[in-house]
Amino acid sequence: MAFSGALTLTDLNDFITPAQACIKPVEQTNPVPHHASEGAASTEIRVDTTGSYYEVSSNDLKSGPNAQKKLQTAEISLNDCLACSGCITSAESVLISMQSHTEVLNFLANNPEDICVSHKVPVISIAPQTLASLAASISSSSKAQPVTLQQVYRRVEAFCKTVLGFEHVYDTTFARHLALLEHIREFQERKSGEGQLPMLASACPGWVCYAEKTHAEMLPFISRTKSPQQVMGSLMKEWLGLKWGKSPSQVYHVTVMPCYDKKLEASRQDFYNDVYSTRDVDCVITTGELELMMREKGWDLSKPVKGEDSDRDPAVDGTILPELLDHAGSSSGSYLHTLIATLSHTSPTPLELTVRTVRAPDYEEYILADKTSGVVVFRGAKCYGFRNLQNLVRKVGRDAGVQVGRGAAGRIGGVRGRGLRARKAGTDAVQDTKYDYVEVMACPGGCVNGGGQLRPPALSDGADAEGFKRDWEADGVKLDDDEFGRIQGQNAKWGDKEWTKKVEAVYWHGHGLPTPPPSPTLNGVPVGSRATNGHVDLKTERAERLAAQVLNEACKPKDTLVSSWTENMNDEAEALRRKYFRTQYRAVEGEVIGLAVQW
């Protein structure tokens, strides 16, 4: 089984009790005859000289080859892995053979010419966090000048088109823009009673898988809005593909993400088109895998390319999608801050925002209150990292009256603690402790610190990850600077806080925003951004117009066309909106009994 060359199983801290066996349920297609005696086998298995297996009926053991049925080889897919929890690590990395950069290279090498009917249009979408990680890696080198997100994006685009052979290269910020618009719409629906609060972000597949497997009682609170990756998949297969005159199965869509769990997200059955037998995202590679391909192909990302400092006019160059849209708030998608900006902009009275750090910068509370009366109108939080997630799950469960358990064990039970006292006494002071929304991410530091991002550069003192120094020359090994850097990079630990800060700084400076960014103000435009000279306003205005165009062309509303994302359409069009921009989650039942495990 071929794995990604950038995937290594080191320093894992998400150990799960192993099961005795990894079992995939198989449907039995041949019913057992009623006349068969109890305990007797109705069929037997034969193995021929080539190693193939054949099923033969007990009544036809002496029959010829025509009475035999060749059995298919059993395969374990990522979907089966998601439903198991029996492996030794929840990283699910042992079954990602079809989600690697090798798979991408194989497809591109074997894709027929565009004059052939079987040709597929290769498209690649790149997350802004990936661009920030690459830019930080370039800027940290003493041999290269610091670069912006736009510059590194142009260089990656040139590599993907001229070297790999992709026909279209996009970033995912417009898909994130649509996800944020739908996110706001869903929150407003829940606020009006069409769902449960608090609403928990769903863009992080690591957090969603964690909830599905261990805290099913949290699923009603998780947002149903698709992540930017999957929204991008809908755009490529259902909207842009039609503009290119291609069906969904004739578009091969690759995404570059900062997280390995994005591979699992793309493999979910929810994002599979049964009609065309294709996925919204065909393959996901990480930042490290993209960088590995560049090294293997001899591409120097530190060298400038033509036109990397100039903005493009979509009306002239036909890029269609706006590039590198600004969404201030957090480098993990700005879901919380976008809600805050919307509430501030639509409130009839001035609102004041207060931010309080609960334990660390990875767990902060945001309170939006009326300036005059002091009444709290919104209470949200930013919660990153599994250590903080445990506390969040307990708090949400306690406030909502949900008994927190494992798997599907959580249930609505007797409401206890502060939530009960608040309901009985009606005390606002206690009731206000409940969240309306939480931006949840599994990785400490958020998406810029995803497991698929580039590691810190080589240590200057030559020490490895455990602090021991190696004298390579004394050991008879001669290394050039690049080889030494790669060895040291492999020893670098994931989650280095100083390195994460550098990636974060590049992410925001590339957007023309200060670090950390302020809370958005009117229309979601942050103070101190490039919006002061009209640059961001033009991009945002065009993104809003294009969002309405996507609704009109993809959902096909009857009678009248919509002019903004907030407008309602007829029932058929709204059903298509939900199909393209929302999904569902379900509990994964585990049958592993810890006491029965053999170590």
Side-chain angles (χ1 to χ4, degrees):
M1 186 177 290
F3 298 124
S4 164
L7 179 61
T8 55
L9 297 178
T10 59
D11 195 26
L12 294 176
N13 58 2
D14 50 0
F15 183 82
I16 290 180
T17 304
Q20 291 177 311
C22 181
I23 301 173
K24 175 182 178 180
V26 178
E27 180 183 2
Q28 182 176 353
T29 57
N30 54 328
V32 179
H34 294 290
H35 58 78
S37 60
E38 184 177 358
S42 60
T43 59
E44 291 187 6
I45 304 299
R46 285 180 176 177
V47 184
D48 65 8
T49 56
T50 63
S52 299
Y53 291 81
Y54 292 87
E55 181 184 36
V56 184
S57 173
S58 300
N59 299 327
D60 299 325
L61 291 179
K62 297 181 180 180
S63 303
N66 294 333
Q68 300 178 4
K69 177 183 178 182
K70 188 174 181 180
L71 300 177
Q72 295 181 349
T73 303
E75 296 181 352
I76 302 296
S77 68
L78 287 172
N79 294 322
D80 304 313
C81 189
L82 281 172
C84 177
S85 294
C87 56
I88 63 170
T89 169
S90 65
E92 319 283 13
S93 55
V94 295
L95 291 172
I96 309 180
S97 61
M98 298 302 292
Q99 292 279 358
S100 66
H101 76 288
T102 304
E103 179 69 17
V104 175
L105 294 176
N106 290 339
F107 166 80
L108 294 172
N110 298 310
N111 189 29
E113 296 292 334
D114 55 4
I115 59 175
C116 299
V117 178
S118 57
H119 172 78
K120 294 185 178 182
V121 179
V123 186
I124 188 167
S125 306
I126 307 168
Q129 295 87 0
T130 288
L131 298 175
S133 183
L134 293 170
S137 180
I138 297 172
S139 301
S140 64
S141 173
S142 58
K143 300 179 182 180
Q145 295 294 325
V147 295
T148 64
L149 290 192
Q150 178 173 292
Q151 290 172 330
V152 76
Y153 174 57
R154 294 281 186 268
R155 298 175 191 182
V156 171
E157 180 187 40
F159 168 75
C160 291
K161 286 187 174 181
T162 61
V163 178
L164 296 183
F166 281 95
E167 295 184 26
H168 302 278
V169 180
Y170 299 105
D171 69 85
T172 62
T173 54
F174 177 70
R176 180 176 64 185
H177 187 75
L178 299 186
L180 290 172
L181 292 174
E182 189 64 20
H183 212 68
I184 295 170
R185 185 180 181 90
E186 183 184 0
F187 178 79
Q188 292 171 341
E189 291 174 0
R190 291 182 179 233
K191 196 74 172 178
S192 63
E194 300 179 24
Q196 296 192 39
L197 291 177
M199 179 170 144
L200 308 178
S202 61
C204 174
W207 145 246
V208 172
C209 288
Y210 166 74
E212 287 183 319
K213 287 186 174 182
T214 63
H215 290 295
E217 63 279 359
M218 292 291 105
L219 295 182
F221 303 100
I222 296 180
S223 167
R224 266 46 181 174
T225 300
K226 286 184 180 180
S227 70
Q229 171 180 275
Q230 297 309 133
V231 170
M232 198 70 184
S234 296
L235 290 177
M236 294 298 108
K237 296 294 183 87
E238 305 289 349
W239 183 60
L240 280 179
L242 296 179
K243 288 182 174 293
W244 300 328
K246 301 292 183 179
S247 66
S249 59
Q250 293 176 312
V251 176
Y252 186 79
H253 183 209
V254 179
T255 61
V256 187
M257 291 288 139
C259 173
Y260 280 104
D261 284 338
K262 285 293 182 180
K263 298 172 183 280
L264 300 172
E265 179 183 51
S267 301
R268 296 178 69 97
Q269 195 63 31
D270 310 63
F271 307 131
Y272 184 80
N273 189 322
D274 294 313
V275 176
Y276 291 96
S277 300
T278 184
R279 298 190 182 279
D280 295 341
V281 179
D282 295 283
C283 191
V284 181
I285 61 175
T286 62
T287 309
E289 289 172 293
L290 177 62
E291 191 270 341
L292 179 62
M293 285 197 293
M294 292 180 180
R295 273 196 280 117
E296 291 177 346
K297 299 293 184 179
W299 182 269
D300 189 353
L301 198 60
S302 64
K303 293 183 178 179
V305 296
K306 183 180 179 180
E308 65 177 26
D309 294 317
S310 59
D311 290 335
R312 290 174 176 167
D313 185 355
V316 176
D317 58 30
T319 53
I320 299 178
L321 301 184
E323 297 177 341
L324 300 176
L325 287 173
D326 296 330
H327 298 105
S330 73
S331 56
S332 298
S334 303
Y335 298 93
L336 172 64
H337 286 74
T338 301
L339 284 177
I340 293 174
T342 301
L343 294 173
S344 300
H345 178 56
T346 57
S347 174
T349 58
L351 302 179
E352 183 177 18
L353 178 65
T354 303
V355 182
R356 182 177 75 91
T357 301
V358 178
R359 288 179 178 83
D362 275 348
Y363 195 169
E364 296 177 336
E365 288 186 349
Y366 292 74
I367 301 174
L368 205 58
D370 188 288
K371 274 189 177 182
T372 305
S373 63
V375 175
V376 175
V377 298
F378 174 84
R379 182 182 294 271
K382 182 187 78 172
C383 184
Y384 295 169
F386 273 111
R387 184 173 299 178
N388 291 324
L389 287 183
Q390 294 286 353
N391 297 323
L392 171 69
V393 167
R394 296 190 190 99
K395 173 177 173 52
V396 172
R398 181 178 63 247
D399 292 343
V402 175
Q403 180 176 338
V404 177
R406 288 186 58 84
R411 59 185 183 274
I412 302 294
V415 184
R416 300 175 296 175
R418 291 182 295 173
L420 178 62
R421 292 196 298 271
R423 283 191 175 95
K424 286 185 175 180
T427 56
D428 293 337
V430 177
Q431 190 73 16
D432 280 348
T433 62
K434 292 185 177 182
Y435 294 141
D436 296 298
Y437 181 85
V438 185
E439 182 176 296
V440 190
M441 300 291 159
C443 292
C447 294
V448 292
N449 187 37
Q453 295 282 72
L454 300 183
R455 295 185 180 183
L459 302 175
S460 58
D461 60 357
D464 59 18
E466 297 179 351
F468 295 100
K469 295 184 179 181
R470 294 292 302 270
D471 191 342
W472 295 100
E473 293 186 0
D475 294 339
V477 179
K478 293 183 178 180
L479 302 173
D480 58 28
D481 292 340
D482 292 338
E483 291 173 329
F484 180 77
R486 285 199 294 271
I487 291 175
Q488 290 300 102
Q490 292 172 357
N491 290 330
K493 291 184 177 180
W494 170 75
D496 183 275
K497 292 184 178 179
E498 293 302 318
W499 176 247
T500 302
K501 289 180 180 178
K502 291 180 180 179
V503 179
E504 182 97 13
V506 173
Y507 179 92
W508 291 117
H509 290 163
H511 284 62
L513 303 175
T515 304
S519 175
T521 56
L522 294 180
N523 299 320
V525 178
V527 176
S529 75
R530 291 176 295 173
T532 54
N533 58 21
H535 183 80
V536 174
D537 282 340
L538 292 177
K539 275 190 175 183
T540 304
E541 182 182 355
R542 180 173 182 271
E544 293 291 334
R545 292 199 307 268
L546 189 58
Q549 180 182 339
V550 169
L551 281 184
N552 289 319
E553 295 180 353
C555 301
K556 299 177 175 60
K558 295 181 180 179
D559 301 328
T560 181
L561 299 178
V562 298
S563 59
S564 70
W565 198 271
T566 58
E567 295 182 31
N568 294 321
M569 301 178 289
N570 57 291
D571 293 342
E572 293 82 0
E574 287 295 335
L576 287 176
R577 185 211 292 260
R578 289 181 174 271
K579 172 187 174 183
Y580 296 144
F581 303 107
R582 296 198 191 182
T583 185
Q584 295 293 327
Y585 301 105
R586 62 194 59 83
V588 176
E589 298 287 351
E591 298 180 356
V592 178
I593 302 176
L595 296 177
V597 172
Q598 295 180 356
W599 294 85

